Amino acid sequence: MRDHALGGQTLPMIPIRRGEGVWLEDFNGKRYLDAVSSWWTNLFGHTNPKIGAAIKKQLDSLEHVMLAGFTHEPVIQLSEQLVNLAPSGLTRCFYADNGSSAIEVAAKMSFHYWHNQGKHQKRRFITLENSYHGETLGALALGNVELYKQIYQPLLMDVITAPSPDCFHRDSGETWEQYSHRMIEPMRKILEQHAAEACAVIIEPLVQCAGNMRMHHPIYLKLLRQACDEFGVHLIADEIAVGFGRTGTLFACEQAGISPDFMCLSKGLTGGYLPLSTVLTTESIYGAFYDEYISLRAFLHSHSYTGNPLACAAALATLNIFATEPVLARNRQLSEHLQHRTQALNDHPHVAEVRQHGMICAIELIRNKKTREQYDWQQRRGLRIYHHALQQGILLRPIGNVVYFMPPYVITEQEIDYLVDTATQGIELATCD
Ligand SMILES: *Cc1c(COP(=O)(O)O)cnc(C)c1O
């Protein structure tokens, strides 16, 4: 709030009056291109007519009913469609109402599954360095970004942290694939050592988004799936940010040809309209809870707004756009354009690398390219880019010294050009001293 204080460091809070497509408009009529999809939620633009109409229609028949003992048409249709689209073997959906809650559900369900199997010693989770899974206490414990986590450490469950396959750390000359191959080794050692006490490994497939948009090769997911099977540990894929076409395929796991034991979805699930999340899981995990009431094996986890019909209607409209328009093919074109337009930044003296997976493109700034000396975080150089972009009518929100583009899929090539040009100017301004 201090950043936004009047007379302070000149970052006034921006009240938004309306949105349309990739654009947001403030009360002075100034427009901002939403280059980060309002924190990675928006897929098909603001006030999308199809999604809006679906919600309005749903509003006239049922706004909400509890999802216990009762069910409703949108949630049934959504579950059927998600099961059809998801990697094979994921046949069951458990609903919640935001991403962090989906992570809590997956973690509790994994632990509880093993408990129901009589494996009471399995009660720890294996997570990756630099990972992010949300900010409720369980989700926070499973993540590894210091900024969010450190102060709350005394409140958090103990997890086992494995090195990340994050390819930023590869040796020069080493490919993403080679590095991701190499980084499965420490994970395998951890799995071998902790198999008896580990419930699950949790990973953000392909991109650690909140962790500075760091990326890895799909081969890591494939090898991780094999290792989890070998050591009898679940695999939780947190596709909350990367699901729904972000990385080029509908789900990131598809690029490795794997099926996780749990897949968490939220953010883009409703096209960025309403809070909703779901955890997809397998028939065999579902079966471990299916029993007489008095056996007390059931999975109890409830949120009041779980599976809200309006949110489900938004999700169905979103899936309908995927089904009726060539979204992924168009995204492929747009990501190629983005790649082409950002290529030159690789030669910038203060750009460590430009990396990309589909519709996520990140530019990492660095003080010294040769020694890889980082900029001091206290200088907040990313904020200078944020400020410059706002003046130019773009909402960019760098994470530390990483500028990234994660736009709604309805962006045009011309808008991408404007985005890249403005970010390039911002990078100049932020690195000129
Ligand atoms: C945003 C995010 C979450 C948390 O979702 P919320 O709805 O913000 O609680 C979890 N995991 C990943 C990978 C995310 O990007």
Side-chain angles (χ1 to χ4, degrees):
M1 288 313 290
R2 183 59 202 273
D3 279 352
H4 300 305
L6 288 175
Q9 283 248 312
T10 63
L11 274 178
M13 187 77 82
I14 302 173
I16 291 298
R17 179 165 57 184
R18 54 188 299 275
E20 187 182 358
V22 296
W23 296 96
L24 296 166
E25 189 183 309
D26 72 13
F27 281 76
N28 299 320
K30 185 170 170 62
R31 301 207 307 159
Y32 305 89
L33 200 169
D34 187 355
V36 297
S37 297
S38 283
W39 265 346
W40 325 336
T41 57
N42 192 292
L43 303 186
F44 300 116
H46 296 279
T47 55
N48 179 290
K50 289 182 179 167
I51 304 175
I55 297 170
K56 286 176 196 161
K57 186 158 176 255
Q58 182 57 39
L59 207 44
D60 285 331
S61 55
L62 179 67
E63 80 302 331
H64 187 63
V65 64
M66 64 183 194
L67 202 61
F70 284 71
T71 188
H72 54 82
E73 192 176 354
V75 83
I76 293 170
Q77 284 184 355
L78 181 59
S79 308
E80 288 173 355
Q81 293 189 21
L82 287 172
V83 164
N84 281 335
L85 294 167
S88 67
L90 296 171
T91 55
R92 297 282 172 175
C93 300
F94 189 99
Y95 286 87
D97 52 17
N98 66 79
S100 301
S101 298
I103 298 297
E104 305 278 343
V105 166
K108 284 174 70 178
M109 213 185 270
S110 172
F111 163 80
H112 198 160
Y113 169 89
W114 294 116
H115 184 89
N116 282 354
Q117 303 295 98
K119 303 211 161 151
H120 301 264
Q121 71 284 22
K122 275 190 178 280
R123 49 187 186 78
R124 295 182 78 192
F125 292 89
I126 301 173
T127 92
L128 289 173
E129 267 175 12
N130 192 46
S131 57
Y132 177 91
H133 300 291
E135 288 168 55
T136 55
L137 291 175
L140 197 58
L142 293 170
N144 187 247
V145 178
E146 285 293 296
L147 180 64
Y148 307 113
K149 182 169 180 175
Q150 198 175 19
I151 184 77
Y152 304 105
Q153 197 66 59
L155 305 181
L156 303 179
M157 70 174 157
D158 173 43
V159 297
I160 302 159
T161 308
S164 170
D166 168 4
C167 285
F168 189 70
H169 299 299
R170 71 195 184 280
D171 289 341
S172 68
E174 194 173 26
T175 64
W176 282 27
E177 183 164 4
Q178 287 163 341
Y179 187 69
S180 296
H181 233 284
R182 173 149 75 87
M183 291 314 287
I184 200 69
E185 288 313 317
M187 174 59 94
R188 284 186 60 87
K189 287 213 177 71
I190 284 173
L191 275 165
E192 191 172 5
Q193 193 184 344
H194 295 281
E197 57 168 344
C199 301
V201 175
I202 182 165
I203 185 169
E204 296 154 89
L206 301 186
V207 189
Q208 294 184 315
C209 292
N212 290 349
M213 299 292 164
R214 294 290 180 77
M215 303 180 181
H216 55 264
H217 190 276
I219 188 74
Y220 186 83
L221 300 172
K222 203 181 185 107
L223 297 170
L224 179 60
R225 175 72 275 185
Q226 284 167 9
C228 285
D229 287 343
E230 191 177 329
F231 295 106
V233 171
H234 288 145
L235 178 61
I236 303 173
D238 176 355
E239 294 234 10
I240 291 168
V242 294
F244 300 102
R246 248 322 142 188
T247 65
T249 42
L250 191 62
F251 300 112
C253 282
E254 290 170 31
Q255 293 181 44
I258 62 151
S259 292
D261 300 289
F262 300 92
M263 184 165 81
C264 302
L265 302 173
S266 188
K267 293 205 165 102
L269 172 61
T270 61
Y273 266 68
L274 287 163
L276 180 71
S277 64
T278 185
V279 180
L280 278 88
T281 191
T282 63
E283 210 55 27
S284 94
I285 288 170
Y286 174 84
F289 298 92
Y290 189 85
D291 207 344
E292 299 296 338
Y293 181 78
I294 55 161
S295 74
L296 293 179
R297 291 162 68 90
F299 183 67
L300 300 186
H301 183 105
S302 44
H303 294 289
S304 311
Y305 283 103
T306 282
N308 173 263
L310 299 170
C312 290
L316 284 167
T318 301
L319 292 183
N320 191 47
I321 296 176
F322 277 101
T324 55
E325 296 176 21
V327 178
L328 296 178
R330 183 160 182 279
N331 278 4
R332 233 178 332 269
Q333 273 178 5
L334 290 171
S335 18
E336 270 166 30
H337 186 73
L338 194 51
Q339 185 180 18
H340 172 71
R341 285 305 316 268
T342 50
Q343 192 99 43
L345 278 166
N346 274 304
D347 300 327
H348 191 283
H350 292 293
V351 170
E353 75 172 7
V354 181
R355 53 180 173 267
Q356 189 176 350
H357 257 312
M359 291 292 277
I360 306 175
C361 177
I363 302 152
E364 179 138 358
L365 306 184
I366 199 139
R367 175 179 282 288
N368 188 319
K369 216 163 170 157
K370 277 220 181 65
T371 62
R372 289 220 147 188
E373 184 202 344
Q374 305 272 356
Y375 281 115
D376 185 350
W377 67 271
Q378 291 167 336
Q379 295 173 348
R380 302 183 74 182
R381 285 172 188 260
L383 199 60
R384 299 188 205 171
I385 300 172
Y386 173 77
H387 201 181
H388 174 73
L390 276 185
Q391 286 170 338
Q392 303 303 314
I394 296 181
L395 163 51
L396 271 180
R397 201 180 153 103
I399 305 175
N401 294 321
V402 176
V403 189
Y404 70 91
F405 310 124
M406 199 157 161
Y409 304 161
V410 292
I411 194 168
T412 65
E413 293 194 351
Q414 289 77 2
E415 286 161 345
I416 286 178
D417 292 346
Y418 183 57
L419 198 55
V420 175
D421 291 343
T422 306
T424 306
Q425 292 159 8
I427 289 168
E428 282 303 331
L429 285 171
T431 60
C432 64
D433 61 321

